[in-house]
Amino acid sequence: MKSIRKTLTRRLSIIISLLVIAVLLAADIGVDSWVEQEFNQAMKAKVGMLQSLVNEDVEGVEFEFAGEYLPEFEGTSSPEYFQLWYKDSTFEKSDTLALYTINELPFSSIALEEYSFQDITLPDGRTGRVIYTRYIPQIDSEDRAEFYRVMGNDTRPSMVIAYATSTELLNFTLWFIDGAFLLALIIVPLVVRFAVRNTVSYALAPLDTLNAKIKGLRFTIRQKHDAFQNDVEELEPITQSLNHFIEDNYSLYLREKRLTSDIAHELKTPVSELINMTEVAIKFPGEIRLEKDFKPRVLQIGTRMKNIISGLMLIQKYSFKSLELTDEIDIQKLVTQLIEIKEARNVKVEVSSNFQLSVKSNRVAVESIINNLIDNAIEHGKTDTEILVNCGVNCSRNVYLRVTNKVGTEINEDDLKHMFEPLWQKDASRTSEDNFGLGLSIVDALCDAVCAEVSVTKTAEEDISFLLTFKNETIGP
């Protein structure tokens, strides 16, 4: 099973570590190059300073060196070395060379105005670097005219100068940078992993909290049902979906709980009555007056129980099931036939369309739906009031059937929400012997089975209207 926490921690740790290592590696290479370049540049500046101490005039070449200003070329503390060659022979060298057995710097042939760097072992045994360059000695500006008048413009001999210094500090600096990089290479992935793991855990904490709340949710009477809330933007859609899902399931839970209670009540009462009647019949055998009322009453109770069970089985049969829609049905004609069979004189049919109100559906199911709607209006309508059945086509060009009647009892919005629930009755005491609250539930189940839709609204103070819409059929222009 995939773990979001582990996957995020692992991938972020690897990616960030690789990026940091790449930056550190580039920085290490850049700093190493820069330090070495600065060291070489300092050597070039030093050898340039030594070049400026060599002057040439008509009397020859001279080296104007003052050791008191450049003690590194005379003492034994961190000594540096230089040597000059003129006409392929040693012209001048630093006093520090005389302090050791090896008192010469190695000569290197080099072209004019070029620089050459070489790593060597210094006379004092330290690792070092030497720079070579070949140049023409300078002529003082005040002596230049006289020099060229006497010596002419012939090519002058060049001079080679070598300057050597220790690279131990340079090497230490480079090793220190490399060591710091290696240490960072070890520490950075550990720090990154620790930081990423804590960050991911902190970021996923609201999800853990939400999960704990979901685990603790129970649909019980003692526990109050509250919607989930959080202040995390990414979890808001999930929270809303969960709240919607929980609300739906909580409604279904209450519905099933009420249905179970209603079924128990509807069956317990007639069963208790049958038991009582049987006990009386056993206690008074052969009583003619009991025999007269006993059998019809038993038949009546048995028939009611059968109707309740048949209705519940019918609802269960067509719930979440689709029927074959192969019958061509004229809604207006079917409504007229059903009303004639019932001989209901207070039912009026109106047609609000010039189209033929024909749908392709399941005839048995549609007939049962319309029959139950009309029966419901007759049964629960106010006595001696007109029931209006309106057929037509809506703005979406779907065929509809609307049944409107006046009710004798007060109906509120909460009652409308429960009208299609099995065994629901407005009369909580259930005093009616003929009705048990399954007709509209059967209508709702059959509508789902034939791709139709049924709804109920309160259109006036005493008027209630049931709207049946056939969504699968569209009337053309």
Side-chain angles (χ1 to χ4, degrees):
M1 182 180 294
K2 272 184 135 183
S3 170
I4 296 177
R5 190 188 307 275
K6 291 180 180 179
T7 302
L8 282 176
T9 301
R10 182 172 59 253
R11 292 193 178 184
L12 288 176
S13 298
I14 293 173
I15 292 172
I16 295 175
S17 297
L18 290 177
L19 288 175
V20 172
I21 290 171
V23 172
L24 287 176
L25 182 60
D28 177 67
I29 295 173
V31 171
D32 284 353
S33 301
W34 177 78
V35 170
E36 191 160 0
Q37 184 179 359
E38 288 297 311
F39 182 82
N40 291 339
Q41 195 65 32
M43 291 186 70
K44 288 180 69 174
K46 198 68 167 285
V47 81
M49 182 271 296
L50 292 172
Q51 285 178 264
S52 68
L53 299 179
V54 180
N55 292 310
E56 187 177 4
D57 54 21
V58 293
E59 296 179 359
V61 179
E62 64 178 350
F63 184 57
E64 298 177 351
F65 178 78
E68 62 270 22
Y69 298 114
L70 298 169
E72 62 269 24
F73 294 112
E74 290 187 342
T76 59
S77 177
S78 300
E80 297 179 2
Y81 310 90
F82 71 83
Q83 187 169 345
L84 293 92
W85 291 270
Y86 186 62
K87 295 180 180 180
D88 296 331
S89 62
T90 301
F91 175 75
E92 188 69 49
K93 59 184 178 180
S94 63
D95 293 342
T96 50
L97 286 171
L99 299 174
Y100 304 100
T101 304
I102 302 175
N103 58 3
E104 294 276 345
L105 291 175
F107 178 78
S108 178
S109 179
I110 190 172
L112 188 66
E113 302 297 336
E114 287 188 0
Y115 292 92
S116 175
F117 292 91
Q118 297 178 17
D119 292 325
I120 63 169
T121 300
L122 297 178
D124 55 19
R126 295 179 298 164
T127 58
R129 184 171 296 176
V130 61
I131 179 174
Y132 295 93
T133 184
R134 183 182 291 274
Y135 72 104
I136 304 296
Q138 67 176 346
I139 304 172
D140 288 340
S141 57
E142 62 269 15
D143 299 331
R144 195 166 295 165
E146 179 66 18
F147 179 85
Y148 285 117
R149 186 182 64 78
V150 175
M151 304 300 294
N153 292 326
D154 295 338
T155 303
R156 294 183 290 144
S158 61
M159 179 175 282
V160 175
I161 183 171
Y163 163 68
T165 186
S166 173
T167 57
E168 288 184 347
L169 181 60
L170 171 66
N171 292 334
F172 174 77
T173 304
L174 294 177
W175 277 108
F176 179 80
I177 294 171
D178 291 340
F181 165 72
L182 290 174
L183 185 63
L185 196 63
I186 297 172
I187 294 177
V188 165
L190 298 176
V191 173
V192 168
R193 182 169 179 81
F194 176 78
V196 168
R197 183 173 59 187
N198 288 345
T199 302
V200 170
S201 297
Y202 176 78
L204 293 179
L207 193 59
D208 294 334
T209 304
L210 181 62
N211 185 41
K213 289 182 179 178
I214 294 173
K215 286 183 178 179
L217 181 65
R218 297 292 183 273
F219 290 152
T220 60
I221 299 176
R222 297 179 181 178
Q223 182 178 7
K224 187 178 179 182
H225 173 62
D226 292 324
F228 293 139
Q229 296 180 354
N230 68 78
D231 54 357
V232 181
E233 182 180 352
E234 288 76 12
L235 290 181
E236 186 61 26
I238 298 176
T239 304
Q240 291 180 357
S241 299
L242 277 173
N243 287 336
H244 179 71
F245 177 77
I246 291 170
E247 288 295 336
D248 285 348
N249 278 271
Y250 189 66
S251 299
L252 290 174
Y253 165 76
L254 294 179
R255 176 185 174 184
E256 293 301 321
K257 185 178 179 181
R258 183 197 59 78
L259 178 60
T260 303
S261 176
D262 289 344
I263 291 174
H265 181 77
E266 288 288 349
L267 297 180
K268 180 182 178 181
T269 302
V271 168
S272 299
E273 190 173 352
L274 287 175
I275 292 173
N276 292 333
M277 292 178 65
T278 304
E279 289 177 348
V280 171
I282 293 173
K283 189 175 182 179
F284 302 101
E287 182 65 39
I288 298 176
R289 288 176 297 178
L290 290 177
E291 289 287 337
K292 180 180 179 182
D293 298 330
F294 181 78
K295 292 178 181 180
R297 184 58 182 163
V298 169
L299 178 62
Q300 183 182 5
I301 294 172
T303 303
R304 177 179 174 82
M305 292 176 64
K306 176 187 174 183
N307 290 337
I308 293 174
I309 294 172
S310 298
L312 291 173
M313 292 179 64
L314 186 64
I315 294 173
Q316 182 65 27
K317 178 180 179 181
Y318 291 108
S319 294
F320 308 107
K321 180 181 178 180
S322 297
L323 296 176
E324 291 186 2
L325 312 180
T326 56
D327 300 326
E328 196 72 27
I329 307 169
D330 188 328
I331 298 299
Q332 180 185 356
K333 185 176 180 181
L334 178 60
V335 170
T336 304
Q337 290 175 353
L338 291 175
I339 293 174
E340 288 177 354
I341 293 173
K342 296 178 183 299
E343 298 181 355
R345 297 181 180 180
N346 61 330
V347 179
K348 180 181 178 182
V349 180
E350 289 185 353
V351 179
S352 303
S353 174
N354 295 324
F355 299 109
Q356 183 179 1
L357 304 180
S358 178
V359 297
K360 197 170 186 179
S361 188
N362 186 286
R363 186 175 186 85
V364 175
V366 172
E367 185 174 337
S368 179
I369 291 170
I370 298 175
N371 192 57
N372 273 284
L373 289 176
I374 296 175
D375 284 345
N376 181 77
I378 294 173
E379 181 66 29
H380 300 285
K382 197 172 183 179
T383 307
D384 298 330
T385 58
E386 185 179 72
I387 298 172
L388 179 63
V389 179
N390 179 263
C391 305
V393 178
N394 59 18
C395 57
S396 300
R397 297 183 178 180
N398 291 324
V399 176
Y400 71 85
L401 173 73
R402 187 188 301 274
V403 180
T404 305
N405 63 277
K406 294 186 180 297
V407 291
T409 57
E410 184 179 354
I411 299 293
N412 54 41
E413 292 297 326
D414 188 61
D415 294 333
L416 298 180
K417 296 178 182 178
H418 298 290
M419 278 194 174
F420 295 103
E421 295 180 4
L423 297 176
W424 180 86
Q425 296 185 39
K426 174 66 176 176
D427 181 11
S429 60
R430 301 177 179 270
T431 56
S432 175
E433 290 286 336
D434 300 321
N435 302 296
F436 31 85
L438 287 176
L440 293 180
S441 299
I442 294 173
V443 168
D444 187 52
L446 289 174
C447 283
D448 289 337
V450 298
C451 297
E453 188 178 81
V454 65
S455 61
V456 58
T457 55
K458 190 176 180 181
T459 56
E461 185 65 28
E462 293 185 341
D463 289 351
I464 188 172
S465 177
F466 289 87
L467 176 63
L468 173 66
T469 306
F470 295 91
K471 298 184 292 183
N472 63 313
E473 282 291 330
T474 300
I475 301 299

